[in-house]
Amino acid sequence: FDTYINDCNKHVFDTVVVTAYQFPGLTSSKAFQCDNQSYTVTASVTGGRAPYMYEIFGSVPAAPSIVTAPQASPAFTINNGASYSLIRLRVVDACGNASLYDVNVLPLSNFLVFTDSLECFNHSLTLRVDSIANATYNWYKRIVPNDSVLVGTGPSYYVPNLTPSDTGRYFCIISINNSCVIKFANYKVSGWCGTVLPVPVTLHGEKMDNANRLYWRADNASSNVYHLQRSTNSLFGFETIKVVNDAGNGEIFYKDINPPVNDSYYRLKIVGKDGGVDYSNLVLLKKSVTGISIYPNPINSVLYISVNSPQSQSFSVSINNLAGQLLFTKTYTNIQDAVLTIPRKPGMGSGMYLLTINFLRSNEKQVFKLMYR
């Protein structure tokens, strides 16, 4: 743009960059069950043009309804005593274009603090946790013996020049949607600049058939030995059930085919090349209080799910192909002793599929392999 100013006979130039328009997307949106058993939903938009209007237009189960009118806030709180496994969101941007997205309600995993560099004195250091939309972060440094001081906010804490006085234990308190969910993470800065301890990885677990399935991603070249440990107590009694050497990068899977009859706690003991030891998060896989069996398997036309429970249960059932495509989903409420029938859906060819049963009250998940003839 060229603007001519008559009074001083001058030209003033300005440049505006017109970027390519992208339709709004909601793929980063999250929904969590709060600490008080209510639900919080955060719509996170990429693309489009602000301002945005957000709304919930459906859920699984559909009743009681949580449909809302359009609102400017991306945060929703649901506290009606009901259980939901999926929430359907819509966003409309300033251009009038809309996007839809189905958000699964998931338990919030444990947070871990990780560093962006080695802990070398006289060098910068950044402590970081995973970032979540509409969350607040407070970083505290422990003051011996029983006190702490606020040192920063945001998903990261930056130390421009690490000195011995900066070493010690740091805590991060993560609060999501006005303290609906509160999580804690901590990290000890030692100033050790040699071969670093392995960066803690996140351990995941789920029930599958009559076994427990554990998996994690090894993406740190300095971590060369993983000890998968199991206990029936969250504080002590851990025993190594699997050792993985020099895993390198990528996903690592292990199927515990003989889990205890009680609740099972799992963790990773990670041993670095220099002998340093660190531990992952704890994973709790509870003993099943609901007897679930499926038949026949292999399946010709109809799948039967037998439910035998001492108390009524609410759960969602979904079937995915091995590529992750959702082929069937349905929510059942107040089921105690029943046999559910799921007819074969059109387009389901011969091969293997995954049946997932997600109990809505306990967030327990069971996965079964299905073989269709």
Side-chain angles (χ1 to χ4, degrees):
F1 293 91
D2 177 7
T3 303
Y4 179 70
I5 303 175
N6 291 320
D7 293 345
C8 43
N9 193 26
K10 296 181 71 173
H11 289 265
V12 178
F13 299 96
D14 194 12
T15 301
V16 176
V17 178
V18 181
T19 59
Y21 177 80
Q22 293 182 338
F23 277 83
L26 288 167
T27 56
S28 297
S29 301
K30 304 290 183 183
F32 300 110
Q33 189 168 10
C34 300
D35 296 337
N36 63 359
Q37 304 306 309
S38 64
Y39 294 86
T40 181
V41 185
T42 299
S44 180
V45 183
T46 57
R49 289 291 178 268
Y52 304 99
M53 295 298 290
Y54 308 90
E55 60 182 296
I56 296 176
F57 70 94
S59 63
V60 175
S65 174
I66 55 173
V67 173
T68 67
Q71 65 180 48
S73 171
F76 300 85
T77 299
I78 302 164
N79 191 8
N80 57 9
S83 297
Y84 298 91
S85 61
L86 183 142
I87 295 172
R88 319 194 85 169
L89 295 176
R90 177 188 290 115
V91 63
V92 180
D93 72 352
C95 298
N97 293 317
S99 178
L100 310 178
Y101 189 68
D102 290 347
V103 183
N104 290 306
V105 179
L106 299 173
L108 187 60
S109 61
N110 292 330
F111 279 83
L112 296 174
V113 178
F114 55 94
T115 62
D116 290 353
S117 61
L118 302 182
E119 298 177 25
C120 299
F121 289 127
N122 301 317
H123 289 77
S124 63
L125 177 70
T126 300
L127 304 180
R128 191 181 304 278
V129 294
D130 291 334
S131 178
I132 291 183
N134 209 35
T136 60
Y137 306 82
N138 289 314
W139 291 86
Y140 295 87
K141 185 177 186 296
R142 182 184 178 187
I143 305 299
V144 178
N146 297 310
D147 201 359
S148 62
V149 58
L150 180 68
V151 295
T153 58
S156 64
Y157 172 63
Y158 177 68
V159 181
N161 185 43
L162 186 66
T163 65
S165 63
D166 295 313
T167 60
R169 181 73 65 177
Y170 289 81
F171 298 87
C172 183
I173 301 178
I174 304 102
S175 175
I176 302 174
N177 283 0
N178 297 320
S179 301
C180 167
V181 181
I182 297 179
K183 288 287 184 178
F184 301 87
N186 73 89
Y187 187 88
K188 184 177 181 180
V189 176
S190 64
W192 171 244
C193 191
T195 303
V196 296
L197 293 177
V199 175
V201 299
T202 301
L203 179 64
H204 304 273
E206 62 188 17
K207 289 184 175 293
M208 189 171 187
D209 298 330
N210 295 319
N212 291 337
R213 179 174 179 263
L214 290 307
Y215 58 96
W216 67 94
R217 174 173 290 277
D219 54 5
N220 180 12
S222 66
S223 302
N224 61 350
V225 182
Y226 296 87
H227 297 254
L228 178 61
Q229 299 183 328
R230 182 187 66 199
S231 175
T232 56
N233 188 289
S234 62
L235 299 177
F236 52 83
F238 282 91
E239 297 181 350
T240 297
I241 59 175
K242 178 68 175 178
V243 177
V244 180
N245 293 286
D246 296 322
N249 297 331
E251 293 277 348
I252 302 173
F253 298 88
Y254 177 74
K255 190 174 183 180
D256 186 6
I257 59 175
N258 294 307
V261 294
N262 297 320
D263 296 345
S264 298
Y265 293 85
Y266 296 89
R267 71 182 184 185
L268 286 174
K269 177 183 177 183
I270 312 168
V271 181
K273 293 181 179 179
D274 63 344
V277 176
D278 209 341
Y279 293 90
S280 73
N281 57 299
L282 279 180
V283 170
L284 169 61
L285 295 181
K286 300 178 70 65
K287 64 179 181 180
S288 178
V289 297
T290 303
I292 294 286
S293 60
I294 62 172
Y295 62 91
N297 198 11
I299 307 158
N300 289 320
S301 59
V302 178
L303 169 66
Y304 297 93
I305 302 177
S306 175
V307 182
N308 183 13
S309 173
Q311 58 185 1
S312 62
Q313 298 284 340
S314 298
F315 51 86
S316 64
V317 175
S318 60
I319 298 177
N320 295 71
N321 60 22
L322 295 185
Q325 181 182 7
L326 180 63
L327 304 177
F328 169 83
T329 183
K330 186 174 181 180
T331 297
Y332 300 87
T333 58
N334 298 323
I335 303 296
Q336 187 166 359
D337 294 301
V339 176
L340 312 176
T341 60
I342 301 179
R344 188 171 185 164
K345 301 303 175 183
M348 292 181 65
S350 300
M352 183 176 293
Y353 296 82
L354 295 179
L355 170 73
T356 302
I357 300 177
N358 186 19
F359 293 90
L360 303 181
R361 296 191 183 98
S362 64
N363 285 323
E364 178 187 343
K365 182 186 294 184
Q366 291 185 260
V367 181
F368 299 85
K369 294 180 181 177
L370 305 179
M371 180 63 69
Y372 280 86
R373 299 184 189 275

